[in-house]
């Protein structure tokens, strides 16, 4: 995700689609040549800059030797992470978990299809329509990487329900769903030393953070950790 704290100097948005779902209102807007996703009145992400979303997947793969890897992407969003994963042949199994049916529709038959670049039709890709926190807590297959981007990060959640992902129960669930030696990558709109410590407390090793400079000043980051 990306966070734009101000709209000064930007074109006014045009609403492309508006849906009411089980988690509230989701809106797709176009602003100039870019699209924005708004959830319950809160800006979530846009198509202006996908560097950190691509880094989320690339950094996890860089920590995994060899081929034949599997990844779960938490949050389809505007599609940057999924498209980047689908472009890499080393990922043999790709699952993307998205709770908003509207967002999946916008990628299958809407303007966001250009940003996911046909990845939803890739035979390696499975789309799971579910809440990520509940999905990780349930029984299911293991993965070599979990690349999670469902909110603005551990210290800045838009949805109260998402906060559970960053706490002890959510991190324990992520740890269980990783194969031995697997990598957890978590996107955040700002660095969080407290979350780094929470990862260590949850039994993860090799905890570190990568930063991506953005115009607003506070860098986007990817928190990385490994299951021993």
């Amino acid at each position: 995700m990306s966070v734009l704290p101000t709209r000064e100097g930007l074109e006014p948005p045009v609403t492309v689609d508006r849906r009411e779902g089980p988690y509230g209102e989701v809106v797709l807007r176009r602003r100039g040549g870019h699209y924005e996703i708004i959830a319950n009145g809160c800006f979530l992400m846009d198509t202006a800059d996908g560097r950190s979303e691509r880094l989320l997947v690339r950094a996890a793969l860089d920590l995994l030797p060899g081929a034949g890897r599997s990844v779960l992407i938490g949050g389809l969003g505007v599609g940057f992470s999924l498209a980047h994963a689908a472009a890499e042949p080393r990922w043999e199994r790709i699952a993307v978990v998205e709770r908003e049916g509207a967002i999946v529709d916008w990628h299958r038959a809407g303007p966001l299809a250009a940003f996911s670049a046909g990845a939803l039709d890739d035979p390696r890709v499975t789309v799971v329509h579910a809440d990520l926190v509940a999905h990780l807590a349930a029984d299911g297959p293991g993965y070599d990487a979990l690349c999670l981007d469902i909110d603005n990060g551990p210290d800045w959640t838009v949805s109260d329900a998402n906060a559970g992902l960053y706490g002890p129960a959510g991190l324990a669930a992520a740890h269980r769903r990783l194969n031995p030696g697997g990598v957890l990558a978590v996107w955040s709109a700002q660095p969080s030393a407290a979350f780094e410590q929470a990862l260590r407390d949850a039994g993860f090793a090799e905890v570190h953070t990568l930063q991506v400079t953005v115009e607003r000043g506070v860098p986007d980051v990817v928190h990385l950790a490994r299951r021993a």
Side-chain angles (χ1 to χ4, degrees), residues 1-206:
M1 301 176 188
S2 301
V3 178
L4 298 180
T6 177
R7 294 291 188 270
E8 294 180 5
L10 297 178
E11 297 181 29
V14 175
T15 297
V16 176
D17 194 10
R18 184 189 305 271
R19 307 275 187 95
E20 284 289 341
Y23 304 97
E25 182 186 68
V26 185
V27 179
L28 180 66
R29 303 194 309 199
R30 184 179 68 249
R31 189 187 294 271
H34 297 289
Y35 291 90
E36 304 171 344
I37 296 176
I38 312 296
N40 294 319
C42 296
F43 175 89
L44 285 185
M45 65 202 77
D46 66 10
T47 60
D49 182 358
R51 289 175 299 152
S52 58
E53 290 90 340
R54 296 183 184 98
L55 178 64
L56 180 74
V57 175
R58 184 173 68 252
L61 185 60
D62 287 346
L63 293 174
L64 295 169
R69 295 302 185 176
S70 58
V71 59
L72 182 149
I73 297 171
L76 175 56
V78 295
F80 288 135
S81 295
L82 176 61
H84 195 70
E88 172 53 65
R90 285 177 58 195
W91 295 119
E92 289 192 351
R93 179 165 58 96
I94 304 169
V96 58
V97 179
E98 175 56 59
R99 74 179 191 177
E100 299 291 351
I103 292 178
V104 178
D105 290 346
W106 296 334
H107 281 277
R108 290 201 184 279
L112 296 185
F115 300 95
S116 49
L120 272 66
D121 296 323
D122 190 306
R124 297 171 297 161
V125 173
T126 300
V127 179
V128 180
H129 185 193
D131 175 79
L132 177 66
V133 177
H135 182 74
L136 289 176
D139 292 336
Y143 294 90
D144 296 308
L146 301 178
C147 298
L148 310 183
D149 177 10
I150 62 168
D151 212 305
N152 287 325
D155 298 334
W156 190 0
T157 54
V158 171
S159 170
D160 291 340
N162 290 341
L165 177 68
Y166 309 107
L171 293 179
H175 194 277
R176 287 193 302 269
R177 293 296 290 270
L178 279 170
N179 295 330
V183 174
L184 174 64
V186 179
W187 191 97
S188 178
Q190 58 189 16
S192 175
F195 184 62
E196 289 185 343
Q197 186 58 51
L199 289 166
R200 296 184 182 96
D201 293 343
F204 287 95
E206 301 178 35

